[in-house]
Amino acid sequence: MLVSGELILPMEYDNIEMLGPYYLKVEKDGQMSLFSFLGKRMLSGTYDEITFLGGDLITLSGMGKMALLNLAELTGDTIDEKELLFIYDEVETFDQKYVLGFSGDAETLLNFRLEELIPLGIHEIYVEGVYVYTISKWGYKLFDLKENLLKVDLY
């Protein structure tokens, strides 16, 4: 249990910032990691950048790729970096509920729980209000975000 005023991390880090309501982003020699407010290291590796996207979602960047991590899924055990999928070149969020992930020519749509709503594939994903549509060589698909992404093929 955290006691107010208790030392949780030594002064060996170059920078420490709050990341969401329960975590600390620490930086040393240009590399970053994640600690709990109790001083427990939450990630086994270090990363070039850790970015808070909103809600409980963060990105971890390293070696030119990004991984997504939902902080609400942390159980208190340190996450081995081998469990993280560094597949994204870029990510974008919208409505504080959804994430568009880009990997080469492939795109995906995820919710903030990191459930795949539109699989990573060779298609373009566009967001228009409550609708999302994809364009691929096979045609157009329309997804309704209010109706849990009911799929409709457009020809």
Side-chain angles (χ1 to χ4, degrees), residues 19-78:
L19 187 72
Y22 305 107
Y23 298 98
L24 300 168
K25 175 173 74 171
V26 301
E27 182 177 357
K28 183 176 181 179
D29 300 327
Q31 291 292 292
M32 299 179 186
S33 194
L34 188 70
F35 283 76
S36 74
F37 275 6
L38 300 176
K40 180 175 179 5
R41 187 180 190 117
M42 302 306 298
L43 302 170
S44 67
T46 58
Y47 307 94
D48 298 331
E49 184 65 48
I50 298 175
T51 305
F52 184 64
L53 296 178
D56 291 318
L57 202 58
I58 64 171
T59 61
L60 307 164
S61 301
M63 297 173 43
K65 293 288 185 177
M66 300 166 82
L68 292 163
L69 177 64
N70 185 329
L71 296 173
E73 300 296 321
L74 296 178
T75 61
D77 296 329
T78 301

